[in-house]
PDB file of all heavy atoms in Angstrom:
ATOM      1  N   GLU A  46       8.628  -7.601   4.362  1.00 90.00           N
ATOM      2  CA  GLU A  46       9.608  -7.818   3.331  1.00 90.00           C
ATOM      3  C   GLU A  46       9.163  -7.082   2.005  1.00 90.00           C
ATOM      4  O   GLU A  46      10.031  -6.750   1.135  1.00 90.00           O
ATOM      5  CB  GLU A  46       9.669  -9.218   3.036  1.00 90.00           C
ATOM      6  CG  GLU A  46      10.188 -10.071   4.140  1.00 90.00           C
ATOM      7  CD  GLU A  46      11.571 -10.086   4.415  1.00 90.00           C
ATOM      8  OE1 GLU A  46      12.312  -9.505   3.611  1.00 90.00           O
ATOM      9  OE2 GLU A  46      12.074 -10.558   5.484  1.00 90.00           O
ATOM     10  N   GLY A  47       7.858  -6.771   1.904  1.00 93.00           N
ATOM     11  CA  GLY A  47       7.370  -6.158   0.678  1.00 93.00           C
ATOM     12  C   GLY A  47       5.822  -5.907   0.849  1.00 93.00           C
ATOM     13  O   GLY A  47       5.353  -6.182   1.816  1.00 93.00           O
ATOM     14  N   MET A  48       5.330  -5.570  -0.326  1.00 95.00           N
ATOM     15  CA  MET A  48       3.957  -5.168  -0.387  1.00 95.00           C
ATOM     16  C   MET A  48       3.323  -5.542  -1.730  1.00 95.00           C
ATOM     17  O   MET A  48       4.072  -5.644  -2.661  1.00 95.00           O
ATOM     18  CB  MET A  48       3.666  -3.642  -0.130  1.00 95.00           C
ATOM     19  CG  MET A  48       4.286  -3.235   1.149  1.00 95.00           C
ATOM     20  SD  MET A  48       4.218  -1.346   1.206  1.00 95.00           S
ATOM     21  CE  MET A  48       5.514  -1.100   2.507  1.00 95.00           C
ATOM     22  N   VAL A  49       1.987  -5.805  -1.696  1.00 95.00           N
ATOM     23  CA  VAL A  49       1.295  -6.029  -2.942  1.00 95.00           C
ATOM     24  C   VAL A  49       0.187  -4.949  -2.970  1.00 95.00           C
ATOM     25  O   VAL A  49      -0.639  -4.818  -1.997  1.00 95.00           O
ATOM     26  CB  VAL A  49       0.662  -7.466  -3.071  1.00 95.00           C
ATOM     27  CG1 VAL A  49      -0.211  -7.586  -4.353  1.00 95.00           C
ATOM     28  CG2 VAL A  49       1.677  -8.496  -2.993  1.00 95.00           C
ATOM     29  N   LEU A  50       0.129  -4.126  -3.929  1.00 96.00           N
ATOM     30  CA  LEU A  50      -0.916  -3.125  -4.103  1.00 96.00           C
ATOM     31  C   LEU A  50      -1.790  -3.294  -5.467  1.00 96.00           C
ATOM     32  O   LEU A  50      -1.143  -3.698  -6.496  1.00 96.00           O
ATOM     33  CB  LEU A  50      -0.388  -1.681  -4.020  1.00 96.00           C
ATOM     34  CG  LEU A  50       0.267  -1.310  -2.774  1.00 96.00           C
ATOM     35  CD1 LEU A  50       0.781   0.144  -2.872  1.00 96.00           C
ATOM     36  CD2 LEU A  50      -0.762  -1.344  -1.581  1.00 96.00           C
ATOM     37  N   HIS A  51      -2.918  -3.088  -5.305  1.00 96.00           N
ATOM     38  CA  HIS A  51      -3.913  -3.142  -6.511  1.00 96.00           C
ATOM     39  C   HIS A  51      -3.812  -1.695  -7.213  1.00 96.00           C
ATOM     40  O   HIS A  51      -3.537  -0.782  -6.567  1.00 96.00           O
ATOM     41  CB  HIS A  51      -5.345  -3.321  -6.036  1.00 96.00           C
ATOM     42  CG  HIS A  51      -6.287  -3.621  -7.215  1.00 96.00           C
ATOM     43  ND1 HIS A  51      -6.850  -2.707  -7.889  1.00 96.00           N
ATOM     44  CD2 HIS A  51      -6.670  -4.821  -7.627  1.00 96.00           C
ATOM     45  CE1 HIS A  51      -7.657  -3.171  -8.867  1.00 96.00           C
ATOM     46  NE2 HIS A  51      -7.563  -4.490  -8.733  1.00 96.00           N
ATOM     47  N   ARG A  52      -4.047  -1.798  -8.475  1.00 94.00           N
ATOM     48  CA  ARG A  52      -4.037  -0.487  -9.254  1.00 94.00           C
ATOM     49  C   ARG A  52      -4.954   0.620  -8.638  1.00 94.00           C
ATOM     50  O   ARG A  52      -4.433   1.757  -8.638  1.00 94.00           O
ATOM     51  CB  ARG A  52      -4.524  -0.775 -10.682  1.00 94.00           C
ATOM     52  CG  ARG A  52      -4.389   0.424 -11.647  1.00 94.00           C
ATOM     53  CD  ARG A  52      -4.782  -0.002 -13.081  1.00 94.00           C
ATOM     54  NE  ARG A  52      -4.067  -1.091 -13.579  1.00 94.00           N
ATOM     55  CZ  ARG A  52      -2.827  -1.043 -14.040  1.00 94.00           C
ATOM     56  NH1 ARG A  52      -2.270   0.194 -14.025  1.00 94.00           N
ATOM     57  NH2 ARG A  52      -2.206  -2.093 -14.591  1.00 94.00           N
ATOM     58  N   GLN A  53      -6.051   0.217  -8.087  1.00 95.00           N
ATOM     59  CA  GLN A  53      -6.899   1.253  -7.520  1.00 95.00           C
ATOM     60  C   GLN A  53      -6.269   1.988  -6.368  1.00 95.00           C
ATOM     61  O   GLN A  53      -6.435   3.184  -6.062  1.00 95.00           O
ATOM     62  CB  GLN A  53      -8.284   0.723  -7.109  1.00 95.00           C
ATOM     63  CG  GLN A  53      -8.219  -0.233  -5.897  1.00 95.00           C
ATOM     64  CD  GLN A  53      -9.536  -0.915  -5.720  1.00 95.00           C
ATOM     65  OE1 GLN A  53     -10.540  -0.669  -6.365  1.00 95.00           O
ATOM     66  NE2 GLN A  53      -9.616  -1.761  -4.729  1.00 95.00           N
ATOM     67  N   VAL A  54      -5.406   1.241  -5.510  1.00 96.00           N
ATOM     68  CA  VAL A  54      -4.750   1.875  -4.454  1.00 96.00           C
ATOM     69  C   VAL A  54      -3.686   2.846  -4.977  1.00 96.00           C
ATOM     70  O   VAL A  54      -3.512   3.922  -4.541  1.00 96.00           O
ATOM     71  CB  VAL A  54      -3.977   0.811  -3.518  1.00 96.00           C
ATOM     72  CG1 VAL A  54      -3.262   1.459  -2.433  1.00 96.00           C
ATOM     73  CG2 VAL A  54      -5.147  -0.135  -2.958  1.00 96.00           C
ATOM     74  N   LEU A  55      -2.870   2.362  -5.962  1.00 95.00           N
ATOM     75  CA  LEU A  55      -1.817   3.291  -6.629  1.00 95.00           C
ATOM     76  C   LEU A  55      -2.404   4.465  -7.256  1.00 95.00           C
ATOM     77  O   LEU A  55      -1.906   5.564  -7.062  1.00 95.00           O
ATOM     78  CB  LEU A  55      -1.028   2.419  -7.694  1.00 95.00           C
ATOM     79  CG  LEU A  55      -0.238   1.348  -7.053  1.00 95.00           C
ATOM     80  CD1 LEU A  55       0.352   0.404  -8.192  1.00 95.00           C
ATOM     81  CD2 LEU A  55       1.041   1.934  -6.256  1.00 95.00           C
ATOM     82  N   ASP A  56      -3.524   4.293  -7.912  1.00 94.00           N
ATOM     83  CA  ASP A  56      -4.271   5.503  -8.447  1.00 94.00           C
ATOM     84  C   ASP A  56      -4.653   6.474  -7.359  1.00 94.00           C
ATOM     85  O   ASP A  56      -4.564   7.676  -7.598  1.00 94.00           O
ATOM     86  CB  ASP A  56      -5.472   5.059  -9.240  1.00 94.00           C
ATOM     87  CG  ASP A  56      -5.178   4.374 -10.535  1.00 94.00           C
ATOM     88  OD1 ASP A  56      -4.031   4.378 -10.896  1.00 94.00           O
ATOM     89  OD2 ASP A  56      -6.153   3.715 -11.100  1.00 94.00           O
ATOM     90  N   ARG A  57      -5.207   6.017  -6.236  1.00 95.00           N
ATOM     91  CA  ARG A  57      -5.587   6.860  -5.201  1.00 95.00           C
ATOM     92  C   ARG A  57      -4.453   7.700  -4.559  1.00 95.00           C
ATOM     93  O   ARG A  57      -4.556   8.780  -4.107  1.00 95.00           O
ATOM     94  CB  ARG A  57      -6.271   6.078  -4.069  1.00 95.00           C
ATOM     95  CG  ARG A  57      -6.884   6.797  -2.990  1.00 95.00           C
ATOM     96  CD  ARG A  57      -8.367   7.227  -3.129  1.00 95.00           C
ATOM     97  NE  ARG A  57      -9.303   6.201  -3.488  1.00 95.00           N
ATOM     98  CZ  ARG A  57     -10.047   5.491  -2.751  1.00 95.00           C
ATOM     99  NH1 ARG A  57      -9.915   5.586  -1.421  1.00 95.00           N
ATOM    100  NH2 ARG A  57     -10.875   4.628  -3.298  1.00 95.00           N
ATOM    101  N   LEU A  58      -3.232   6.940  -4.518  1.00 94.00           N
ATOM    102  CA  LEU A  58      -1.974   7.622  -3.911  1.00 94.00           C
ATOM    103  C   LEU A  58      -1.305   8.534  -4.920  1.00 94.00           C
ATOM    104  O   LEU A  58      -0.331   9.183  -4.491  1.00 94.00           O
ATOM    105  CB  LEU A  58      -1.120   6.521  -3.359  1.00 94.00           C
ATOM    106  CG  LEU A  58      -1.751   5.711  -2.241  1.00 94.00           C
ATOM    107  CD1 LEU A  58      -0.636   4.704  -1.823  1.00 94.00           C
ATOM    108  CD2 LEU A  58      -2.192   6.552  -1.127  1.00 94.00           C
ATOM    109  N   ASP A  59      -1.702   8.512  -6.245  1.00 90.00           N
ATOM    110  CA  ASP A  59      -1.289   9.459  -7.181  1.00 90.00           C
ATOM    111  C   ASP A  59       0.180   9.489  -7.452  1.00 90.00           C
ATOM    112  O   ASP A  59       0.739  10.623  -7.473  1.00 90.00           O
ATOM    113  CB  ASP A  59      -1.929  10.863  -6.836  1.00 90.00           C
ATOM    114  CG  ASP A  59      -1.841  11.764  -7.961  1.00 90.00           C
ATOM    115  OD1 ASP A  59      -1.966  11.358  -9.161  1.00 90.00           O
ATOM    116  OD2 ASP A  59      -1.700  13.051  -7.833  1.00 90.00           O
ATOM    117  N   GLY A  60       0.872   8.437  -7.516  1.00 86.00           N
ATOM    118  CA  GLY A  60       2.303   8.489  -7.855  1.00 86.00           C
ATOM    119  C   GLY A  60       3.293   9.101  -6.879  1.00 86.00           C
ATOM    120  O   GLY A  60       4.288   9.604  -7.310  1.00 86.00           O
ATOM    121  N   GLU A  61       2.923   9.136  -5.618  1.00 90.00           N
ATOM    122  CA  GLU A  61       3.771   9.724  -4.622  1.00 90.00           C
ATOM    123  C   GLU A  61       5.110   8.962  -4.451  1.00 90.00           C
ATOM    124  O   GLU A  61       5.187   7.795  -4.804  1.00 90.00           O
ATOM    125  CB  GLU A  61       3.016   9.866  -3.278  1.00 90.00           C
ATOM    126  CG  GLU A  61       1.820  10.729  -3.294  1.00 90.00           C
ATOM    127  CD  GLU A  61       1.247  10.895  -1.917  1.00 90.00           C
ATOM    128  OE1 GLU A  61       2.012  11.163  -1.002  1.00 90.00           O
ATOM    129  OE2 GLU A  61       0.058  10.715  -1.847  1.00 90.00           O
ATOM    130  N   THR A  62       6.041   9.612  -3.836  1.00 94.00           N
ATOM    131  CA  THR A  62       7.328   8.894  -3.358  1.00 94.00           C
ATOM    132  C   THR A  62       7.369   8.952  -1.925  1.00 94.00           C
ATOM    133  O   THR A  62       7.161  10.070  -1.263  1.00 94.00           O
ATOM    134  CB  THR A  62       8.543   9.536  -3.966  1.00 94.00           C
ATOM    135  OG1 THR A  62       8.604   9.474  -5.407  1.00 94.00           O
ATOM    136  CG2 THR A  62       9.731   8.871  -3.451  1.00 94.00           C
ATOM    137  N   LEU A  63       7.249   7.806  -1.212  1.00 95.00           N
ATOM    138  CA  LEU A  63       7.005   7.716   0.142  1.00 95.00           C
ATOM    139  C   LEU A  63       8.024   6.728   0.846  1.00 95.00           C
ATOM    140  O   LEU A  63       8.461   5.774   0.205  1.00 95.00           O
ATOM    141  CB  LEU A  63       5.663   7.206   0.523  1.00 95.00           C
ATOM    142  CG  LEU A  63       4.473   8.023  -0.050  1.00 95.00           C
ATOM    143  CD1 LEU A  63       3.239   7.204   0.123  1.00 95.00           C
ATOM    144  CD2 LEU A  63       4.334   9.344   0.727  1.00 95.00           C
ATOM    145  N   SER A  64       8.285   6.895   2.121  1.00 93.00           N
ATOM    146  CA  SER A  64       8.985   5.934   2.866  1.00 93.00           C
ATOM    147  C   SER A  64       8.053   4.774   3.075  1.00 93.00           C
ATOM    148  O   SER A  64       6.806   4.925   2.959  1.00 93.00           O
ATOM    149  CB  SER A  64       9.435   6.505   4.201  1.00 93.00           C
ATOM    150  OG  SER A  64       8.331   6.737   5.071  1.00 93.00           O
ATOM    151  N   THR A  65       8.694   3.696   3.598  1.00 91.00           N
ATOM    152  CA  THR A  65       7.734   2.438   3.818  1.00 91.00           C
ATOM    153  C   THR A  65       6.726   2.838   4.944  1.00 91.00           C
ATOM    154  O   THR A  65       5.603   2.492   4.723  1.00 91.00           O
ATOM    155  CB  THR A  65       8.719   1.336   4.268  1.00 91.00           C
ATOM    156  OG1 THR A  65       9.639   1.005   3.294  1.00 91.00           O
ATOM    157  CG2 THR A  65       7.798   0.072   4.585  1.00 91.00           C
ATOM    158  N   VAL A  66       7.108   3.473   5.960  1.00 91.00           N
ATOM    159  CA  VAL A  66       6.221   3.839   7.003  1.00 91.00           C
ATOM    160  C   VAL A  66       5.083   4.799   6.554  1.00 91.00           C
ATOM    161  O   VAL A  66       3.979   4.594   6.898  1.00 91.00           O
ATOM    162  CB  VAL A  66       6.976   4.464   8.239  1.00 91.00           C
ATOM    163  CG1 VAL A  66       6.036   4.922   9.295  1.00 91.00           C
ATOM    164  CG2 VAL A  66       7.920   3.418   8.864  1.00 91.00           C
ATOM    165  N   ASP A  67       5.595   5.822   5.702  1.00 95.00           N
ATOM    166  CA  ASP A  67       4.549   6.709   5.221  1.00 95.00           C
ATOM    167  C   ASP A  67       3.564   5.986   4.273  1.00 95.00           C
ATOM    168  O   ASP A  67       2.446   6.415   4.239  1.00 95.00           O
ATOM    169  CB  ASP A  67       5.174   7.948   4.491  1.00 95.00           C
ATOM    170  CG  ASP A  67       5.942   8.906   5.527  1.00 95.00           C
ATOM    171  OD1 ASP A  67       5.650   8.806   6.703  1.00 95.00           O
ATOM    172  OD2 ASP A  67       6.835   9.599   5.011  1.00 95.00           O
ATOM    173  N   LEU A  68       4.067   5.095   3.519  1.00 96.00           N
ATOM    174  CA  LEU A  68       3.240   4.347   2.600  1.00 96.00           C
ATOM    175  C   LEU A  68       2.265   3.527   3.357  1.00 96.00           C
ATOM    176  O   LEU A  68       1.002   3.384   3.050  1.00 96.00           O
ATOM    177  CB  LEU A  68       3.973   3.414   1.676  1.00 96.00           C
ATOM    178  CG  LEU A  68       3.309   2.499   0.685  1.00 96.00           C
ATOM    179  CD1 LEU A  68       2.364   3.276  -0.181  1.00 96.00           C
ATOM    180  CD2 LEU A  68       4.214   1.649  -0.202  1.00 96.00           C
ATOM    181  N   LEU A  69       2.610   2.813   4.452  1.00 94.00           N
ATOM    182  CA  LEU A  69       1.735   2.080   5.208  1.00 94.00           C
ATOM    183  C   LEU A  69       0.549   3.004   5.750  1.00 94.00           C
ATOM    184  O   LEU A  69      -0.623   2.657   5.724  1.00 94.00           O
ATOM    185  CB  LEU A  69       2.411   1.483   6.474  1.00 94.00           C
ATOM    186  CG  LEU A  69       3.455   0.354   6.156  1.00 94.00           C
ATOM    187  CD1 LEU A  69       4.198   0.090   7.513  1.00 94.00           C
ATOM    188  CD2 LEU A  69       2.756  -0.891   5.614  1.00 94.00           C
ATOM    189  N   GLU A  70       0.902   4.204   6.217  1.00 96.00           N
ATOM    190  CA  GLU A  70      -0.110   5.096   6.747  1.00 96.00           C
ATOM    191  C   GLU A  70      -0.990   5.633   5.542  1.00 96.00           C
ATOM    192  O   GLU A  70      -2.141   5.819   5.755  1.00 96.00           O
ATOM    193  CB  GLU A  70       0.524   6.200   7.481  1.00 96.00           C
ATOM    194  CG  GLU A  70       1.267   5.751   8.734  1.00 96.00           C
ATOM    195  CD  GLU A  70       0.214   5.161   9.729  1.00 96.00           C
ATOM    196  OE1 GLU A  70      -0.966   5.627   9.858  1.00 96.00           O
ATOM    197  OE2 GLU A  70       0.585   4.176  10.435  1.00 96.00           O
ATOM    198  N   ALA A  71      -0.375   5.963   4.468  1.00 97.00           N
ATOM    199  CA  ALA A  71      -1.100   6.587   3.323  1.00 97.00           C
ATOM    200  C   ALA A  71      -2.180   5.617   2.685  1.00 97.00           C
ATOM    201  O   ALA A  71      -3.285   6.014   2.406  1.00 97.00           O
ATOM    202  CB  ALA A  71      -0.066   6.877   2.189  1.00 97.00           C
ATOM    203  N   VAL A  72      -1.803   4.345   2.794  1.00 97.00           N
ATOM    204  CA  VAL A  72      -2.728   3.215   2.267  1.00 97.00           C
ATOM    205  C   VAL A  72      -4.005   3.290   3.230  1.00 97.00           C
ATOM    206  O   VAL A  72      -5.169   3.310   2.874  1.00 97.00           O
ATOM    207  CB  VAL A  72      -2.138   1.965   2.203  1.00 97.00           C
ATOM    208  CG1 VAL A  72      -3.181   0.809   2.010  1.00 97.00           C
ATOM    209  CG2 VAL A  72      -1.170   1.933   1.010  1.00 97.00           C
ATOM    210  N   ARG A  73      -3.767   3.379   4.584  1.00 97.00           N
ATOM    211  CA  ARG A  73      -4.770   3.328   5.567  1.00 97.00           C
ATOM    212  C   ARG A  73      -5.629   4.627   5.374  1.00 97.00           C
ATOM    213  O   ARG A  73      -6.812   4.556   5.438  1.00 97.00           O
ATOM    214  CB  ARG A  73      -4.282   3.188   7.006  1.00 97.00           C
ATOM    215  CG  ARG A  73      -4.044   1.743   7.362  1.00 97.00           C
ATOM    216  CD  ARG A  73      -3.807   1.751   8.880  1.00 97.00           C
ATOM    217  NE  ARG A  73      -2.665   0.779   9.070  1.00 97.00           N
ATOM    218  CZ  ARG A  73      -1.615   1.158   9.713  1.00 97.00           C
ATOM    219  NH1 ARG A  73      -1.478   2.263  10.375  1.00 97.00           N
ATOM    220  NH2 ARG A  73      -0.631   0.286   9.850  1.00 97.00           N
ATOM    221  N   ALA A  74      -4.919   5.792   5.305  1.00 96.00           N
ATOM    222  CA  ALA A  74      -5.654   7.046   5.124  1.00 96.00           C
ATOM    223  C   ALA A  74      -6.512   7.104   3.878  1.00 96.00           C
ATOM    224  O   ALA A  74      -7.505   7.781   3.849  1.00 96.00           O
ATOM    225  CB  ALA A  74      -4.671   8.222   5.122  1.00 96.00           C
ATOM    226  N   ALA A  75      -6.093   6.331   2.842  1.00 96.00           N
ATOM    227  CA  ALA A  75      -6.880   6.305   1.644  1.00 96.00           C
ATOM    228  C   ALA A  75      -8.097   5.461   1.691  1.00 96.00           C
ATOM    229  O   ALA A  75      -8.785   5.321   0.785  1.00 96.00           O
ATOM    230  CB  ALA A  75      -6.012   5.861   0.465  1.00 96.00           C
ATOM    231  N   GLY A  76      -8.267   4.801   2.893  1.00 96.00           N
ATOM    232  CA  GLY A  76      -9.430   3.910   3.125  1.00 96.00           C
ATOM    233  C   GLY A  76      -9.295   2.425   2.927  1.00 96.00           C
ATOM    234  O   GLY A  76     -10.310   1.705   2.775  1.00 96.00           O
ATOM    235  N   PHE A  77      -8.059   2.039   2.678  1.00 97.00           N
ATOM    236  CA  PHE A  77      -7.746   0.607   2.456  1.00 97.00           C
ATOM    237  C   PHE A  77      -7.261  -0.092   3.732  1.00 97.00           C
ATOM    238  O   PHE A  77      -6.443   0.510   4.436  1.00 97.00           O
ATOM    239  CB  PHE A  77      -6.827   0.356   1.305  1.00 97.00           C
ATOM    240  CG  PHE A  77      -7.297   0.944   0.014  1.00 97.00           C
ATOM    241  CD1 PHE A  77      -6.956   2.145  -0.433  1.00 97.00           C
ATOM    242  CD2 PHE A  77      -8.212   0.232  -0.764  1.00 97.00           C
ATOM    243  CE1 PHE A  77      -7.403   2.725  -1.606  1.00 97.00           C
ATOM    244  CE2 PHE A  77      -8.685   0.730  -1.963  1.00 97.00           C
ATOM    245  CZ  PHE A  77      -8.301   1.950  -2.384  1.00 97.00           C
ATOM    246  N   ALA A  78      -7.603  -1.335   3.964  1.00 96.00           N
ATOM    247  CA  ALA A  78      -7.142  -2.108   5.099  1.00 96.00           C
ATOM    248  C   ALA A  78      -5.978  -3.049   4.572  1.00 96.00           C
ATOM    249  O   ALA A  78      -6.036  -3.562   3.476  1.00 96.00           O
ATOM    250  CB  ALA A  78      -8.199  -2.918   5.700  1.00 96.00           C
ATOM    251  N   TRP A  79      -4.907  -3.186   5.426  1.00 96.00           N
ATOM    252  CA  TRP A  79      -3.837  -4.036   5.006  1.00 96.00           C
ATOM    253  C   TRP A  79      -4.201  -5.533   5.406  1.00 96.00           C
ATOM    254  O   TRP A  79      -4.670  -5.719   6.497  1.00 96.00           O
ATOM    255  CB  TRP A  79      -2.568  -3.637   5.750  1.00 96.00           C
ATOM    256  CG  TRP A  79      -1.823  -2.464   5.197  1.00 96.00           C
ATOM    257  CD1 TRP A  79      -1.964  -1.181   5.773  1.00 96.00           C
ATOM    258  CD2 TRP A  79      -1.079  -2.391   4.067  1.00 96.00           C
ATOM    259  NE1 TRP A  79      -1.171  -0.316   4.973  1.00 96.00           N
ATOM    260  CE2 TRP A  79      -0.666  -1.075   3.853  1.00 96.00           C
ATOM    261  CE3 TRP A  79      -0.565  -3.337   3.079  1.00 96.00           C
ATOM    262  CZ2 TRP A  79       0.202  -0.567   2.806  1.00 96.00           C
ATOM    263  CZ3 TRP A  79       0.215  -2.959   2.016  1.00 96.00           C
ATOM    264  CH2 TRP A  79       0.548  -1.566   1.915  1.00 96.00           C
ATOM    265  N   GLU A  80      -3.872  -6.403   4.493  1.00 94.00           N
ATOM    266  CA  GLU A  80      -3.936  -7.898   4.837  1.00 94.00           C
ATOM    267  C   GLU A  80      -2.553  -8.276   5.052  1.00 94.00           C
ATOM    268  O   GLU A  80      -1.627  -7.603   4.574  1.00 94.00           O
ATOM    269  CB  GLU A  80      -4.506  -8.659   3.611  1.00 94.00           C
ATOM    270  CG  GLU A  80      -6.049  -8.362   3.397  1.00 94.00           C
ATOM    271  CD  GLU A  80      -6.472  -9.262   2.128  1.00 94.00           C
ATOM    272  OE1 GLU A  80      -5.905 -10.201   1.871  1.00 94.00           O
ATOM    273  OE2 GLU A  80      -7.452  -8.776   1.570  1.00 94.00           O
ATOM    274  N   VAL A  81      -2.282  -9.359   5.786  1.00 91.00           N
ATOM    275  CA  VAL A  81      -0.988  -9.836   5.943  1.00 91.00           C
ATOM    276  C   VAL A  81      -0.786 -11.290   5.420  1.00 91.00           C
ATOM    277  O   VAL A  81      -1.758 -12.040   5.566  1.00 91.00           O
ATOM    278  CB  VAL A  81      -0.674  -9.890   7.532  1.00 91.00           C
ATOM    279  CG1 VAL A  81       0.626 -10.528   7.854  1.00 91.00           C
ATOM    280  CG2 VAL A  81      -0.829  -8.563   8.158  1.00 91.00           C
ATOM    281  N   SER A  82       0.285 -11.469   4.658  1.00 91.00           N
ATOM    282  CA  SER A  82       0.485 -12.686   4.022  1.00 91.00           C
ATOM    283  C   SER A  82       1.973 -13.075   4.150  1.00 91.00           C
ATOM    284  O   SER A  82       2.915 -12.225   4.160  1.00 91.00           O
ATOM    285  CB  SER A  82       0.175 -12.668   2.564  1.00 91.00           C
ATOM    286  OG  SER A  82       0.477 -13.873   1.889  1.00 91.00           O
ATOM    287  N   PRO A  83       2.331 -14.337   4.370  1.00 89.00           N
ATOM    288  CA  PRO A  83       3.726 -14.712   4.526  1.00 89.00           C
ATOM    289  C   PRO A  83       4.464 -14.570   3.218  1.00 89.00           C
ATOM    290  O   PRO A  83       3.833 -14.723   2.176  1.00 89.00           O
ATOM    291  CB  PRO A  83       3.703 -16.195   4.898  1.00 89.00           C
ATOM    292  CG  PRO A  83       2.342 -16.654   5.038  1.00 89.00           C
ATOM    293  CD  PRO A  83       1.518 -15.458   4.676  1.00 89.00           C
ATOM    294  N   MET A  84       5.655 -14.098   3.281  1.00 83.00           N
ATOM    295  CA  MET A  84       6.464 -13.981   2.043  1.00 83.00           C
ATOM    296  C   MET A  84       6.705 -15.291   1.445  1.00 83.00           C
ATOM    297  O   MET A  84       7.157 -16.204   2.102  1.00 83.00           O
ATOM    298  CB  MET A  84       7.776 -13.240   2.388  1.00 83.00           C
ATOM    299  CG  MET A  84       8.658 -12.931   1.232  1.00 83.00           C
ATOM    300  SD  MET A  84       7.916 -11.634   0.302  1.00 83.00           S
ATOM    301  CE  MET A  84       9.251 -11.212  -0.818  1.00 83.00           C
ATOM    302  N   THR A  85       6.341 -15.475   0.133  1.00 59.00           N
ATOM    303  CA  THR A  85       6.500 -16.826  -0.492  1.00 59.00           C
ATOM    304  C   THR A  85       7.900 -17.058  -1.113  1.00 59.00           C
ATOM    305  O   THR A  85       8.294 -18.129  -1.141  1.00 59.00           O
ATOM    306  CB  THR A  85       5.385 -16.956  -1.576  1.00 59.00           C
ATOM    307  OG1 THR A  85       5.453 -15.876  -2.503  1.00 59.00           O
ATOM    308  CG2 THR A  85       4.018 -17.002  -0.881  1.00 59.00           C
ATOM    309  N   SER A  86       8.501 -15.925  -1.630  1.00 47.00           N
ATOM    310  CA  SER A  86       9.776 -16.216  -2.249  1.00 47.00           C
ATOM    311  C   SER A  86      10.410 -14.817  -2.398  1.00 47.00           C
ATOM    312  O   SER A  86       9.772 -13.801  -2.539  1.00 47.00           O
ATOM    313  CB  SER A  86       9.722 -16.922  -3.550  1.00 47.00           C
ATOM    314  OG  SER A  86       9.043 -16.129  -4.524  1.00 47.00           O
TER     315      SER A  86
END
């Protein structure tokens, strides 16, 4: 449904414009692991 990213992740990805799938992969390629959390609202 959505994502939460820390500023250090956004800085590493350098303001790119990505599809959801490409963003999922880019975060992994930048060395970060995804956590999963239920959507609260």
Side-chain angles (χ1 to χ4, degrees):
E46 301 281 352
M48 301 171 202
V49 176
L50 292 179
H51 191 277
R52 183 176 306 280
Q53 67 186 2
V54 178
L55 291 171
D56 289 347
R57 185 92 49 95
L58 298 179
D59 198 29
E61 295 184 50
T62 297
L63 302 166
S64 70
T65 302
V66 172
D67 289 341
L68 178 54
L69 292 171
E70 293 300 323
V72 168
R73 276 194 224 126
F77 298 98
W79 285 102
E80 294 178 22
V81 176
S82 178
M84 183 71 170
T85 55
S86 65

